[in-house]
Amino acid sequence: MEQPLLEINNLKTHFKTERGRVTAVDGISFSVEKGEILGVVGESGCGKSVTAQSILRLFDEKYTASYEGEIKLQGENLLQLSKAEMEKIRGNEVSMIFQDPLSSLNPVFTIGYQLMETIRIHQNRTKKQARQMAIDLLRMTGIPSPEKRVSEYPHQLSGGMRQRVMIAMALACKPKLLIADEPTTALDVTIQAQILDLMLELNEELGMAVVFITHDLGVVAEVCTRVVVMYLGQVVEEANVEELFTTPLHPYTKGLMKAIPQMDGDRSQKLNVIGGTVPALNAIPSGCRFASRCEFANDLCKEKAPDLQVHEGNHKVRCWHYAEISNKEAARHA
Amino acid sequence: MPNQQAESILQVQGLKKYFSVKGFRSKSKNQQVKAVDDVSFTLYKGETLGLVGESGCGKSTTGRALLRLIEPSGGTVLYNNEDILKKSPREFRKVQKDMQMVFQDPFSSLNPRIRIGESIKESLTIHSIGNRNEREEIVMDILGKVGLRSDHYFRFPHEFSGGQRQRIGLARALVADPSILILDEPASGLDVSIQSQILNLLQELQDDFKLTSLFISHDMSVVRHISDRVGVMYLGKLMEEADTDTLFSNPVHPYTKALLSAVPIAKVGKKRERIVLKGEIPSPLNPPSGCIFHTRCPFAMDVCKQVVPEKVEIQDRHTVACHLYS
Amino acid sequence: MKMKNKFLILITFVLLLAMSACSKGETTGSSTGSKESSKGKSELKLTLSAQPPTLDTVATNSVDSATVARNVFETLVTPNGNFQPTPMLAKSVDLSDDGKTYTFVLREGVKFHNGKEMTSEDVVASMNRWKEASVVAKDLLGDAVFEAKDKYTVTLQLQQPSSGVLNILASTKQFPAIMPKEIVDKATPEGVTEFIGTGPFKVAEVKQNQYIHLSKNKDYQPVEGKADGLAGKREALVDDVYFYIVKDAATRLSAIQTGEYDVNTDVYFEQYDTVKKDKNITTYPDQYGNLMAVYNKKSGLFTDQKMRQAINAAINTEDIMLATFSHKELFNLDHGYMSKDQKDWYTKKGLESYNQNDAKKAKELLKEAGYNGQEIKIIATSDYSEHYDSAVVLQSQLSKLGVNAKLETFDWPTLLEKRKDPSAWDILVTGYSTVTTPAQILYLNPNDHGWTNDAKIADLLAKINAAPSVAEAQPLWAELQEYASNEYVPVTPFGTYSLVAAARSNVKGFTIFQGPVVWNTSVQ
Amino acid sequence: MYIYILKRIFSLVPVLFVVSIVAFLLIYLTPGDPVSVMLGQEATAEQIEALREQMGFNDPLYLQYFHWLINVLQGNLGDSYFMHMPVTTAIVEHLGPTLSIAVLAELIAILIALPVGILAAKHRGSLMDQFVMGFTLTGMAIPSFLFGLILMLVLGVKLGWLPVAGYQPLSTGFWNYLQYLLMPGLALGIIQSALIARMTRSSMLEVLNADFIKTARSKGVKERSIIYVHALRNALLPIITVVGQTFGLLLAGAVVIETIFNIPGIGQLVLNSIQSRDYAVIQGVILMVAFFYVIINLVIDLLYMLIDPRVGY
Amino acid sequence: MNVVEVNVNPKRVKHDLKKQERSLLLRRFLSNKLMVTGSIIIVLLLLLAILGPKLTPFDPYEMVVKERLEAPSSHHLLGTDNFGRDLLTRIIYGAKVSMWVGFASALLSSIIGLAIGLTASYYRYLDNILMRICDGLLAFPAILFAIALMAVLGAKTENVIIALTIVFSPEVARIVRSRALVVREETYIEAIRSQGASAARIIWKHIAPNTISPLLVKATFVFSEAVIVEATLSFLGAGVPAPDPSWGNILSDGKDVIYTAWWMTVFPGLFIILSVLGLNLLGDGLRDLIDPQSSTK
């Protein structure tokens, strides 16, 4: 098999807090193939954003964060690179867009400046060339009259436009991997649709891989080819998108899917409820992390933490008795 | 679902809210933002009317204007055949007991310095319901009904999670035994698993308390799930209104169609035809002439640019404001 | 956008420029004075502790004004080292046999700084203005008139003979400065606007709160005779004299220690030791005045003579003076109402009542007066440390005696106002500078300063003023002082004290007499 | 934007109006008057009353204020009774030293505070950071007069490096000018630097947590330019505000420092005129200082617009 | 939802909870090193001010002129002043005066500032007037303003408090107002408004308590600033009048003898620095405690 573009092995991200060390991401492993769109989905606090930012080592390693494990980009472990080497990767090989496009753009510099900065850090261009490139990039992301826009400031643009700028900036150096951290959460549905279309288009056109982080299963279904489901700092399930939506295995994934109101079909049915709340990061249960909220949990679950096991192909799940559960459910429906 | 002959409880006619904006750069001195522009609808007893739209469409303003949290610029709101917009503050207080609101942000809608029991009790105090001891009991009772423990009474908001706080918000709205509930995005900002808890609870309570609700949300699927009827707003105007199933299965307004098609669906295999609207929502400071949607409408005609479309009832209880149907 | 930025930068710069322009205008304006100063060694820098309100000494009683103005303006007669009036601008002074007419013959060829020669009309104009402005002059000279007999002769015609006339003419404060007539004529109540005199120095520049710059009067014609007090030969030995206004005592001290200034005209008492120890500095104590508690005899407890006597008996003046002036060399406890240096007037009569420090006697007297704990309000200014400090000690002593004494301190202008109000205070702690005749003693004046209201004192004062000569007036004065000290007790004197000037050792010929004497002084 | 600036300037009017009324009232309520001071220590009550009448101090208050206001509106602040010169001249004469000290102190403060604050923010929690915080806390706790005295004692008297007191205008040579200013400048500047350094630190920390810093980092921007280009410019707003405020404080602090170092500036002018009840000067200076203060605020606002394109919309 | 109906005695629960909250607060307080240090300094100074007068054998007003300006010794631990009074005793009594002046002006300006700030924030028509007045007052440099006020009021300890209150109230008012304006926009205010609450209820029950935190922090800083301004005023001779001791006027006396009696400058100076430091630490700590986001660590 071809070497994956990105391979994460047992990544752990620890933070120093006032209440001691906290492990926000605890042993994550997954890989991203060239050109694919991998969705990382989960509820707030599950560690999906931390994972995203850990890939680029964006946390302050001197005072707050520390990493463990491996993040291999085309075989090279990013966690072992020097600061300067890391800077060469960022924005060049791997780039990133964030949830809130307003706060993610520096308010005091023009859009052109911020785009040109990215270009000139990684490519040897004159100011003039960089400016032209910036305009081209803006045009590519569908911003009208980009010649004018380059000299505007972020606050002068609408939310959707800003996210387009962020995308343009992320794509400036034609990266191999784009990490999109909830890129449409702050946007209206109609604008979200535009941005999602744009991302799909660009993915096809440029062939870069995307790690798409979101809490919205709908978005995942629309854009991703493969999905990783996270819960409390761990991957609980991983599968191709069709497989995940047709045959989810983990009780959490299942619960989540049934908790969403549907756009068609019977609406008189009650929504599914996952009882309880997510445990705090400094009070992680010793056994299965989902046990306290799982209706199928037994003593084993409470005592021993399950590993991520392969169900079939690239469908993986972290549950002691996912098979029984599926059977039970099938029986119930039948 | 209410039957056809359900009596109306709240009639909103031509509701308007214009904000004047003193812009430094604007040429005219007082520009007006028409946040809510001539919106009319009726709430029938026992039903839930959903109000959907994207940010800035005026749905929240509508909700607030009904309670006069924002004083409306025009229109009438008939409750018990009286125009509540014309009431003096003292008279309006009685209406406020009957019309309660649940707010979007469960983190900021509770006073951080007041124990939640006291917060809930305040409504009783204001409306002089019960005596001291009774009030405490009523509050304990309602806490139980929204799924909280009575010892939660003495805790502060920061000790609760988002979902729990929204339960407190519900308790506060329900404690004075209102007949109308205005829910402003009560489940947004919550995780899916919590959101479902709140939506279920809401449905239960609506039955228990025989409530009539106005449910404001940007989330189409949530609105579909909870409402009996749905109104779609765009830039301060009501574009289409119909029973939920009708609207979702057979939307007629181009905007509604686009909106529905834009919602990502958590299912695979069924690739729908998506209508992607071009451009952005125009600035409410400088709204388009004629039909307010014509700048983005894939079916825009010449007439759309000049004439504001009238509301037409194309079917029983299905109205739409679009030149395609007039 | 570009446009917007440029405009903003422009505005910001314009504002900044406007701000800095103010300061620039100022620096060029002030450069004139200092350029000259950097020329050579021939300058003398002194410090003054306060800005003189004006240099027109006729318009003010201020000592600081006099200190500067005496270099610029001269008088007909001036005191010698023993406070005896000695001719200065007058060549001679004659008194008629009936004691009513003084004839002043002016020196000829004396030129004002503006080049004009001084004549009798200038003298008459100056003297008449002074007579109206000065309280003591008004009191003593009354309806007397100055007249020009000829170009160089001026007479003073009195209604009746008076002993202190020449003494007043030789005052060291608010002295009758001789100025050109045209300037006198232009004077407002606030004073003259041009400072043109006949003195060895002329006013070059007055920089408010900064310095007063005097420059040498090259056409100065000194009188003959040995310099003594303010009398005798005056000679400007330096080209420029600067009086720098330095209000802070510590600053004045460090400034003279480091050689920043040549003379510190007002060494703070506490610093006397430090200055004395400094080998590079010579100290010049200068008998200045006396410090006292003035009783309010118009209203309140101290209308009772017994009360005054009681407090007078209790006071330990030595402690007060020591705490205030810190060094024994700086004060004098042997105290009369007139200063010891005033050989014509000084007397020891009545001094037994001074510095009694007798608590027992005081308590008895208090009892007799029927005092039972009423509040006694002491007021003083916080602007003059000697007033303030001695008031603090007085309050402490009275408290110890069992008197309910409260101290209130005010800044000087407020004190001046409070002082006028008989209901506002009981004891005023204040100081008076040395005066040349009993008539000038303000606390014996019935209209103010404690409202002394005693027939015997008034009578004796009138007799003293009317006495044809000092010799005849002196016994009357002794009687007055005895009576006042032992019986009436208008005030309790704490003692006389000296101000200290300090000069760096390379300042030669510097003397001090009621303030620094700058002529005949050179810097080596 | 032009309207914005005009509006800002126009909004100064009521402030200055309030200032002038308060100043006038203060003066009216203060016991003592210039006349008694003018006449000297031993003047009598009658003399004083006579001169008061002559000088028109017995007019009713509103009339005095009205006359004064009319004059001010015509650009005439009146004349000083004591200095026999227009108040404007007096102010201009005294402004130089005060401005010089204020500017120097501000320069010293900024030169110390910015690097120190940035370093502390960059290495938050480190020993260096704790040292800086300790320094700033102590700095803020020392009254300027105390610090001035200490400096004078050490640098002036004991070491003899700098002249202890006085002021020499720029025209006497730059070094001469500077050496007299250095100590008062240090006394005020070091204390101000504590304030600015703290603000720099916290402002930088806040900005360093902002999302766009993450964006910059994810673009591969070097750490140095993240701090000095991306963060600093954003952190500058609160820093500039503090700098502006401290500049206002410096004018006030100058009152004390000028007394200690005997600098003939605005502070001295005001103290002297309060002492002598030179009404016109007090009034004029207070108005001027307040005006200065609001102008500084205006300049800060304009700087905001230069630095942050969002301001003014 | 499966709700376990626990049979609870509300009074007990309330009691327990309050106990818990108190211990939590204590724990948070103890974990805040700055604040603990600051509190210790201030408590020690307060103890000194309260108990000190009983411990010292000297009278702060008693002059022994012959012992004036004695250097620190076993008899006079910190030496004597220029009137021969025991310096330590003076400083202790001065602590009383300085702390009282600081505390009283902080308290008074908090009360006045709160009233003005709340009024301005709620009644928009008053806002403009009140805030322009505050702006005007703030445009005066604090020390100059205080000096001028003292000239009007006369040198008395109570007048120092009044002057400082006038100087600091506008600052407090602005803080309260800006906080109140934020609180006004909070949803919970809208929520209580939607219940039909009266203006008084909204202001006093909902807005006011939420401005207390920044007010408390500001009050601490006003306290410390008041100590400095009082010292400065007294130093300039416009503050606490003799014979009452305050750190400022001891320093002022000491300044003149700085060459011969360093102790008169150094010791009161140290006490000023210490108290202001303590208060600033306390204020910083309070801010961190109240608003964990501003915590910079």
Side-chain angles (χ1 to χ4, degrees), chain A residues 24 42-48 231-233 278-279 281, chain B residues 191:
Chain A
E43 294 183 287
S44 49
C46 72
K48 54 189 192 298
Y231 183 79
L232 201 54
V278 186
L281 274 177
Chain B
D191 271 323

Side-chain angles (χ1 to χ4, degrees), chain E residues 33-64:
Chain E
K33 269 180 242 148
L34 291 180
M35 200 172 167
V36 172
T37 319
S39 311
I40 291 175
I41 294 176
I42 296 308
V43 167
L44 285 181
L45 281 173
L46 286 177
L47 281 180
L48 186 73
I50 295 163
L51 299 178
K54 296 198 176 90
L55 300 179
T56 167
F58 296 99
D59 177 337
Y61 302 104
E62 163 109 33
M63 296 175 183
V64 185

Side-chain angles (χ1 to χ4, degrees), chain C residues 234-392:
Chain C
R234 296 176 174 185
E235 193 183 354
L237 296 179
V238 290
D239 291 339
D240 296 284
V241 174
Y242 290 92
F243 288 93
Y244 284 94
I245 321 298
V246 185
K247 295 174 86 179
D248 186 79
T251 312
R252 284 199 299 274
L253 175 63
S254 22
I256 191 175
Q257 282 188 318
T258 53
E260 186 71 34
Y261 304 114
D262 303 310
V263 180
N264 176 352
T265 61
D266 186 5
V267 174
Y268 183 55
F269 313 112
E270 299 284 2
Q271 299 162 345
Y272 185 57
D273 269 333
T274 318
V275 180
K276 262 190 97 171
K277 272 185 218 141
D278 194 320
K279 285 189 298 271
N280 299 320
I281 297 173
T282 319
T283 52
Y284 300 85
D286 179 21
Q287 220 281 17
Y288 175 78
N290 45 24
L291 207 56
M292 52 188 58
V294 178
Y295 300 104
N296 175 355
K297 294 164 294 279
K298 195 168 193 172
S299 86
L301 287 171
F302 290 101
T303 47
D304 183 350
Q305 186 166 304
K306 280 258 160 42
M307 280 298 292
R308 304 198 292 269
Q309 287 173 353
I311 302 299
N312 187 52
I315 291 173
N316 174 351
T317 56
E318 188 171 359
D319 269 8
I320 294 180
M321 294 305 273
L322 185 61
T324 308
F325 299 103
S326 102
H327 205 286
K328 286 210 152 80
E329 288 169 24
L330 296 183
F331 62 89
N332 189 347
L333 289 177
D334 187 13
H335 179 54
Y337 288 176
M338 292 296 282
S339 153
K340 217 175 180 180
D341 295 343
Q342 287 162 320
K343 299 226 155 48
D344 293 345
W345 292 106
Y346 183 71
T347 172
K348 289 196 168 184
K349 286 277 169 59
L351 286 198
E352 57 273 17
S353 296
Y354 170 70
N355 193 14
Q356 298 173 58
N357 192 12
D358 188 343
K360 215 176 117 194
K361 180 179 170 195
K363 278 181 184 156
E364 269 166 34
L365 281 164
L366 280 175
K367 212 186 228 168
E368 281 175 45
Y371 176 78
N372 51 3
Q374 295 98 318
E375 184 179 293
I376 288 175
K377 199 184 272 181
I378 305 172
I379 64 167
T381 180
S382 45
D383 285 358
Y384 297 100
S385 70
E386 62 269 29
H387 298 192
Y388 177 81
D389 286 354
S390 52
V392 169

Side-chain angles (χ1 to χ4, degrees), chain E residues 144-220:
Chain E
L144 266 187
F145 193 27
I147 292 173
L149 282 170
M150 287 307 289
V152 173
L153 298 166
K156 260 190 196 155
T157 310
E158 302 85 70
N159 291 343
V160 178
I161 295 173
I162 296 175
L164 294 182
T165 303
I166 296 175
V167 170
F168 290 121
S169 293
E171 281 181 36
V172 181
R174 294 205 103 186
I175 300 251
V176 171
R177 174 180 169 273
S178 65
R179 173 72 191 144
L181 284 181
V182 173
V183 175
R184 246 174 79 93
E185 300 304 317
E186 293 279 355
T187 320
Y188 57 81
I189 299 299
E190 211 177 3
I192 196 67
R193 232 154 43 88
S194 79
Q195 306 279 359
S198 61
R201 176 178 278 271
I202 293 175
I203 295 179
W204 293 110
K205 185 134 190 228
H206 292 271
I207 297 183
N210 281 293
T211 58
I212 293 296
S213 309
L215 179 68
L216 205 63
V217 173
K218 180 67 191 171
T220 323

Side-chain angles (χ1 to χ4, degrees), chain C residues 6-20, chain D residues 299 302-303 306:
Chain C
K6 269 183 200 149
F7 176 71
L8 272 173
I9 294 171
L10 194 73
I11 290 212
T12 314
F13 268 96
V14 165
L15 278 166
L16 284 171
L17 269 177
M19 280 156 74
S20 55
Chain D
V299 171
L302 295 182
L303 281 176
L306 272 181

